[in-house]
Amino acid sequence: SLPNIIPHYMQRDMQWYASVPLQGISIYSEPGDWGTYELNYYTLGHLAWDPDCNVDSLISQFGFVRYDAAWKTIKKAYRSLEQLVRTDGSIPNTRLKSPKEIFQAEKELSGRISEVNTVKQNARDAALSANLSRLLLMLRYADDDLKIQYLLASGGKTELLQRKIEALVGFLEKNRDKGVFVLSAKDNLASYRRHYGIKAP
């Protein structure tokens, strides 16, 4: 359930599919992480009708409905997720980047977390506060993932990696029913160790 937000990437794919031409496309939303990918779902629905539609405009429409005036600040967080998770995170088949690249990505996400936290502290509307809480969970997962990626890229000690993975899994399990994460493994810790290529102690 890493927040792999990809509206612009999806548009390039949909434009290619339309040139084939593909006759239809479907989408499936898991209740466990619907909040993580709702922008992707929203975008795909529009792209299915018009692959050449203005994706930036779609993102803004989504943002103002979800975050109202706070969108002016929040949109930077979505932009960072779109630019960083797919390229620097632990998405399968993504090349592990250099420690410097990952450090810069994590630094950017940390800044976004601070900005969103500030907006949430000033939020008066319950619905807005709930939306911001889900976004903060998404950002936190992406940030923790980058910290683990940094340790992997820089040759961090296995013991430290084990602790970071254990802390991440604990965080995900604690927040598993908030519409942001799907945890389906019988043993989530073992699953995440395999994901990061770490052997059990």
Side-chain angles (χ1 to χ4, degrees), residues 20-31:
V20 174
L22 187 73
Q23 298 303 308
I25 193 163
S26 64
I27 193 165
Y28 169 72
S29 169
E30 294 181 300

Side-chain angles (χ1 to χ4, degrees), residues 20 28 67 75 80 83 104 127 139 145 148 184 187 200:
V20 174
Y28 169 72
Y67 303 103
K75 64 182 176 182
S80 292
Q83 293 173 349
Q104 290 298 327
L139 289 164
D145 176 67
I148 294 171
S184 57
D187 185 341

Side-chain angles (χ1 to χ4, degrees), residues 60-169:
S60 291
Q61 290 170 23
F62 165 86
F64 281 114
V65 169
R66 270 286 169 256
Y67 303 103
D68 198 34
W71 176 243
K72 292 178 181 178
T73 301
I74 301 305
K75 64 182 176 182
K76 292 188 290 184
Y78 275 89
R79 189 180 306 124
S80 292
L81 288 174
E82 183 175 10
Q83 293 173 349
L84 301 176
V85 174
R86 182 174 62 86
T87 57
D88 296 274
S90 67
I91 301 296
N93 302 313
T94 299
R95 178 182 60 83
L96 183 64
K97 302 303 185 294
S98 70
K100 181 179 179 181
E101 290 171 302
I102 299 169
F103 176 82
Q104 290 298 327
E106 194 276 325
K107 182 179 178 182
E108 181 175 328
L109 273 188
S110 292
R112 300 299 179 233
I113 291 172
S114 296
E115 292 167 355
V116 176
N117 260 320
T118 299
V119 174
K120 186 175 185 302
Q121 288 169 5
N122 297 321
R124 300 285 182 263
D125 180 76
L128 173 59
S129 183
N131 293 335
L132 292 168
S133 292
R134 282 192 293 272
L135 177 57
L136 283 168
L137 290 174
M138 293 161 55
L139 289 164
R140 165 79 188 278
Y141 184 12
D143 189 64
D144 285 352
D145 176 67
L146 287 176
K147 288 174 179 172
I148 294 171
Q149 290 289 89
Y150 178 81
L151 287 173
L152 289 169
S154 59
K157 292 183 178 179
T158 302
E159 296 82 3
L160 181 55
L161 278 162
Q162 294 275 12
R163 289 199 297 273
K164 288 284 189 183
I165 293 169
E166 288 170 9
L168 173 60
V169 171

